[in-house]
């Protein structure tokens, strides 16, 4: 940390100084909360392979936000309806055409996003497109905080109640069906908490970066452990720390909050990718080397690397 | 929950399945899987064995036909935990962060409350199932850290833990050594004697007559089905694996049992 300009100040000041401002305290705990919600869901989304779906939802909420402001209803409702609507549209188009899912997702979400751009430039409102795209947690309003808390709270509650079923659904949907669970219902539950989480994270990270908060923490944790419960813990720690320190950084360096949160997350990801004890690049390299050395000694033996 | 009938058959009634690539994977398949017996589902790769399994389990919706299990529609049978399924290895994400114990416990969810908190009985059943397939020592392993045979046994344990009366195993002998194969066969025979209905898909022709009471021959439709001694003939195998026009196939499958093992079909 030594070549950091602000490290010249004592660390204590660095931490305490921003806290004299109400908006900073607010920004820190709101983004920590959002980090928590994203981290938990992130474990399911990365394992299910739904990151592209998350990206789609985050872009598809834009027209919803605009329409909500135009109709004077809470932005979260509009955003949720359009985000969730996009996933239904994706499911419908996929079932009716022979296109692959990624193509369908690409077509649908860009369509929604473009509609949002058109609306935001046509409907007179005081929406700052820049804030939708990149987040604005430092200037978050009381109303927006309440909406974030509700969306995030519902998500946490739903996941907590259904965590085992959702995990089974991600791992082996056929088994879920075989024991008589309603897999269709779980599919839509997971999609709607995904949409809710994106709504909750909208103000913190913005729609462009929210996908990072939904994929990176889970990916970091997945590289570090083979146990789902530990994955939840690691993901949460990585995400909440990045959110808190990212908010600090954005204050001290006067840079984008969403941007610095995601930069931190990405740094953590790179660290775990390189240094993870079992699945890290170094560990794999080391295993290969020691196997190689072993092989030289026992020339006959053949080692087959586990894929 | 009502008392379930002790023996359950599977009745596949005129099933056809078309995948989204417009390929007819299965057409007009009709067969009965008898209770208290081991039935082999035999056919070449890509002939629709897994597709038939998935139709029976309700994982996919056939474009026509229906399946009954012990007289129940499939969904009802599943709600009553009557049907267990051991998937083909390539259908499982082996990198998923779950342990063997977790996987076997997933067979018990249907007996638990909404929060899926295991009761002592559930833990006991899981351990018993693991012991029965000789996998108790591996219960803390992540599922990818197992050999091919151990993977099969882990999923077999899940089926045991579920206590389903009907057990479907998709290619349980693929990628398994001879010793494990023997052990799985022994277990299947025990389960049969306990009254389970067992359907096994396989293309290991050598072992079928040693443990399968009945055989269903499949190549995009059911070509023949019945007691192994009657069905598992050179003629029928030639027909299944050689690919004959359907008209000729009907003719052959309706012919009485052929004593000669000589092949007279010329494809
Ligand atoms: N999800 C799918 N989408 C499209 N075609 C499929 C799908 N699954 C299987 N098929 C096709 O259906 C046929 C039957 O497949 P399958 O039931 O898996 O055969 P088997 O299990 O006997 O090897 C094959 O030709 C296969 O290519
Ligand atoms: Mg198959």
């Amino acid at each position: 940390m030594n070549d950091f300009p602000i490290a010249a100040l004592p660390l204590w000041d660095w931490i305490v100084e921003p806290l004299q401002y109400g908006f900073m305290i607010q920004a820190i705990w709101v983004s920590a909360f959002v980090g928590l919600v994203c981290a938990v869901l992130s474990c399911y989304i990365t394992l299910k392979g739904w990151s592209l779906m998350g990206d789609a939802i985050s872009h598809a909420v834009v027209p919803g936000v605009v329409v909500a402001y135009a109709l004077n209803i809470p932005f979260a409702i509009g955003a949720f309806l359009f985000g969730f609507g996009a996933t239904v549209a994706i499911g419908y188009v996929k079932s009716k055409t022979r296109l692959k899912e990624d193509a369908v997702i690409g077509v649908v979400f860009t369509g929604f996003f473009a509609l949002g751009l058109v609306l935001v430039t046509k409907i007179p409102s005081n929406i700052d497109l820049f804030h939708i795209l990149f987040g604005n947690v430092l200037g978050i309003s009381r109303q927006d905080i309440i909406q974030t808390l509700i969306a995030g709270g519902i998500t946490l509650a739903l996941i907590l109640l259904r965590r085992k079923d959702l995990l089974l659904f991600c791992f082996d949907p056929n088994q879920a069906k075989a024991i008589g669970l309603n897999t269709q219902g779980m599919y839509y539950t997971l999609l709607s908490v995904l949409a809710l989480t994106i709504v909750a994270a909208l103000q913190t990270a913005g729609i462009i970066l929210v996908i990072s908060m939904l994929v990176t923490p889970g990916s970091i944790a997945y590289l570090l452990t083979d146990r789902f419960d530990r994955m939840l813990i690691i993901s949460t720690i990585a995400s909440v720390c990045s959110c808190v320190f990212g908010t600090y950084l954005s204050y001290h360096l006067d840079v984008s909050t969403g941007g610095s949160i995601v930069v931190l997350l990405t740094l953590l990801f790179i660290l775990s990718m390189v240094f993870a004890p079992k699945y890290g690049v170094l560990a794999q390299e080391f295993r290969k080397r020691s196997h190689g050395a072993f092989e030289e000694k026992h020339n006959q033996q053949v080692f087959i690397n586990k894929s | 929950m009502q008392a379930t009938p002790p023996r359950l058959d599977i009745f596949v009634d005129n099933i056809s399945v078309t995948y989204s690539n417009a390929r007819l994977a299965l057409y007009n398949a009709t067969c009965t899987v008898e209770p208290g017996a081991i039935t082999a589902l035999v056919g070449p790769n890509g002939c629709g064995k897994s597709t038939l399994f998935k139709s029976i389990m309700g994982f996919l919706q056939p474009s026509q036909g229906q399946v009954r299990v012990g007289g129940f529609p499939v969904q009802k049978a599943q709600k009553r935990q009557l049907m267990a399924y051991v998937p083909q290895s390539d259908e499982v994400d082996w990198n998923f962060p779950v342990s063997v114990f977790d996987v076997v416990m997933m067979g018990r969810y249907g007996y638990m409350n909404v929060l899926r908190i295991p009761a002592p009985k559930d833990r006991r059943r899981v351990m018993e199932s693991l012991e029965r397939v000789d996998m108790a020592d591996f219960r803390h392993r992540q599922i990818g850290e197992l050999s091919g045979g151990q993977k099969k046994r882990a999923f077999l344990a899940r089926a045991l833990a579920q206590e389903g009366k009907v057990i479907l195993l998709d290619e349980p002998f693929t990628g398994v050594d001879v010793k494990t194969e023997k052990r799985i066969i022994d277990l299947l025979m025990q389960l049969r004697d306990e009254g389970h209905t067992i359907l096994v898909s396989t293309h290991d022709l050598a072992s079928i007559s040693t443990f399968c009471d009945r055989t269903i021959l499949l190549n995009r439709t059911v070509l023949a089905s019945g007691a192994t001694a009657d069905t598992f003939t050179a003629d029928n195998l030639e027909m299944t694996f050689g690919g004959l026009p359907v008209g000729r196939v009907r003719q052959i499958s309706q012919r009485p049992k052929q004593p000669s093992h000589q092949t007279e079909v010329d494809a």
Side-chain angles (χ1 to χ4, degrees):
Chain A
M1 275 220 131
N2 263 338
D3 36 353
F4 232 61
I6 35 141
L9 295 169
L11 188 62
W12 182 249
D13 280 356
W14 194 84
I15 293 173
V16 173
E17 196 237 272
L19 298 182
Q20 60 188 298
Y21 303 106
F23 76 90
M24 269 308 287
I25 297 178
Q26 216 171 46
I28 287 168
W29 73 256
V30 169
S31 59
F33 174 75
V34 168
L36 168 72
V37 177
C38 288
V40 172
L41 186 61
S42 156
C43 294
Y44 291 90
I45 296 303
T46 45
L47 290 176
K48 185 77 187 156
W50 272 9
S51 18
L52 198 55
M53 194 63 114
D55 204 21
I57 296 178
S58 65
H59 284 78
V61 302
V62 177
V65 174
V66 182
V67 170
Y69 273 105
L71 298 177
N72 207 12
I73 55 175
F75 87 90
I77 293 177
F80 175 79
L81 287 180
F82 273 75
F84 188 71
T87 67
V88 174
I90 287 167
Y92 180 79
V93 174
K94 181 156 182 286
S95 70
K96 293 290 169 196
T97 63
R98 59 199 293 261
L99 291 171
K100 294 221 168 63
E101 184 162 44
D102 63 332
V104 177
I105 291 178
V107 169
V108 172
F109 93 72
T110 47
F112 271 75
F113 184 61
L115 176 68
L117 286 188
V118 170
L119 288 180
V120 85
T121 41
K122 198 69 198 162
I123 296 178
S125 71
N126 55 357
I127 305 175
D128 188 341
L129 185 62
F130 199 80
H131 286 166
I132 302 182
L133 292 181
F134 301 107
N136 176 33
V137 71
L138 296 185
I140 191 169
S141 73
R142 201 184 164 70
Q143 256 192 344
D144 289 356
I145 291 182
I146 291 171
Q147 294 179 43
T148 298
L149 286 179
I150 291 174
I154 295 174
T155 301
L156 283 180
L158 272 175
I159 294 182
L160 201 68
L161 281 174
R162 312 278 292 155
R163 64 185 188 284
K164 299 233 173 129
D165 288 8
L166 286 174
L167 189 66
L168 173 57
F169 174 64
C170 293
F171 173 55
D172 190 351
N174 281 347
Q175 170 70 5
K177 216 165 193 165
I179 60 174
L181 301 184
N182 176 2
T183 44
Q184 190 79 358
M186 281 193 280
Y187 174 81
Y188 284 112
T189 307
L190 199 55
L191 276 184
S192 38
V193 291
L194 181 56
L196 274 174
T197 307
I198 286 166
V199 170
L202 210 59
Q203 299 284 345
T204 312
I207 63 159
I208 305 286
L209 290 178
V210 66
I211 189 61
S212 167
M213 301 189 60
L214 273 168
V215 176
T216 315
S219 305
I220 292 170
Y222 184 52
L223 289 177
L224 291 174
T225 181
D226 270 335
R227 300 272 302 274
F228 186 73
D229 40 3
R230 288 192 201 144
M231 202 175 145
L232 276 176
I233 295 170
I234 296 171
S235 169
T236 305
I237 292 173
S239 177
V240 172
C241 289
S242 299
C243 284
V244 171
F245 284 106
T247 313
Y248 269 106
L249 278 185
S250 84
Y251 171 86
H252 286 295
L253 303 179
D254 194 19
V255 292
S256 146
T257 319
S260 46
I261 289 174
V262 173
V263 165
L264 285 181
L265 270 175
T266 311
L267 283 177
L268 288 179
F269 175 81
I270 293 171
L271 283 179
S272 55
M273 189 182 111
V274 175
F275 296 108
K278 197 161 152 196
Y279 301 113
V281 176
L282 286 183
Q284 283 175 20
E285 194 61 30
F286 184 72
R287 264 205 305 276
K288 232 189 280 171
R289 291 260 167 92
S290 58
H291 276 187
F294 200 67
E295 221 167 311
E296 260 162 45
K297 270 191 238 158
H298 309 252
N299 233 342
Q300 305 289 35
Q301 219 141 353
V302 182
F303 283 85
I304 300 162
N305 239 347
K306 211 184 60 167
S307 63
Chain B
M1 208 187 253
Q2 293 171 19
T4 53
R7 303 185 140 223
L8 299 166
D9 61 348
I10 305 173
F11 179 46
V12 176
D13 184 11
N14 202 24
I15 290 244
S16 299
V17 176
T18 312
Y19 283 109
S20 56
N21 58 4
R23 221 191 100 102
L24 199 58
L26 209 59
Y27 62 92
N28 303 62
T30 300
C31 59
T32 306
V33 181
E34 299 286 342
I38 301 177
T39 305
L41 182 64
V42 185
N45 266 329
C47 73
K49 297 185 295 293
S50 300
T51 304
L52 182 60
F53 270 32
K54 286 176 187 158
S55 314
I56 293 175
M57 293 300 295
F59 299 158
L60 53 80
Q61 199 58 49
S63 52
Q64 97 175 17
Q66 59 165 351
V67 176
R68 298 266 151 176
V69 175
F72 299 116
V74 175
Q75 272 194 327
K76 209 161 183 183
Q78 286 171 337
K79 285 235 159 70
R80 295 176 182 203
Q81 307 304 320
L82 299 179
M83 299 171 73
Y85 172 72
V86 179
Q88 212 174 303
S89 292
D90 58 12
E91 280 170 26
V92 177
D93 176 3
W94 295 106
N95 291 316
F96 207 88
V98 284
S99 68
V100 172
F101 187 88
D102 297 335
V103 167
V104 180
M105 189 59 91
M106 285 170 179
R108 300 291 307 170
Y109 281 9
Y111 298 99
M112 302 179 191
N113 62 12
V114 255
L115 290 177
R116 315 288 179 212
I117 296 168
K121 183 184 169 192
D122 296 312
R123 292 180 175 284
R124 214 164 49 234
R125 284 274 181 277
V126 169
M127 283 312 291
E128 282 166 10
S129 308
L130 281 167
E131 270 153 23
R132 209 162 166 191
V133 298
D134 224 347
M135 284 290 290
D137 292 343
F138 297 97
R139 64 183 183 279
H140 297 306
R141 290 259 185 109
Q142 191 264 332
I143 51 167
E145 298 171 333
L146 302 171
S147 72
Q150 291 165 343
K151 286 174 178 168
K152 291 285 181 208
R153 276 144 63 199
F155 277 82
L156 194 52
R158 180 174 77 177
L160 295 180
Q162 198 187 331
E163 300 180 279
K165 271 284 169 197
V166 176
I167 304 180
L168 278 71
L169 302 97
D170 200 352
E171 311 243 357
F173 306 125
T174 307
V176 159
D177 58 51
V178 183
K179 207 174 124 218
T180 309
E181 173 165 349
K182 171 106 187 28
R183 216 146 69 192
I184 295 178
I185 289 176
D186 285 344
L187 182 61
L188 293 182
M189 299 207 292
Q190 282 173 29
L191 291 169
R192 168 192 58 196
D193 297 340
E194 291 163 18
H196 288 79
T197 308
I198 296 169
L199 181 62
V200 187
S201 85
T202 176
H203 43 228
D204 177 10
L205 300 180
S207 65
I208 288 174
S209 46
T210 66
F211 76 101
C212 297
D213 310 296
R214 303 178 65 83
T215 305
I216 297 172
L217 292 170
L218 189 81
N219 196 341
R220 300 184 54 214
T221 188
V222 175
L223 298 177
S225 79
T228 301
D230 302 333
T231 320
F232 202 64
T233 60
D235 265 7
N236 279 345
L237 289 177
E238 176 76 29
M239 170 175 79
T240 310
F241 288 86
L244 281 181
V246 182
R248 178 115 172 90
V249 162
R250 288 264 158 72
Q251 221 181 315
I252 293 169
S253 59
Q254 275 151 18
R255 224 181 325 178
K257 183 188 163 189
Q258 296 251 316
S260 142
H261 269 225
Q262 223 178 348
T263 22
E264 49 179 37
V265 238
D266 216 287

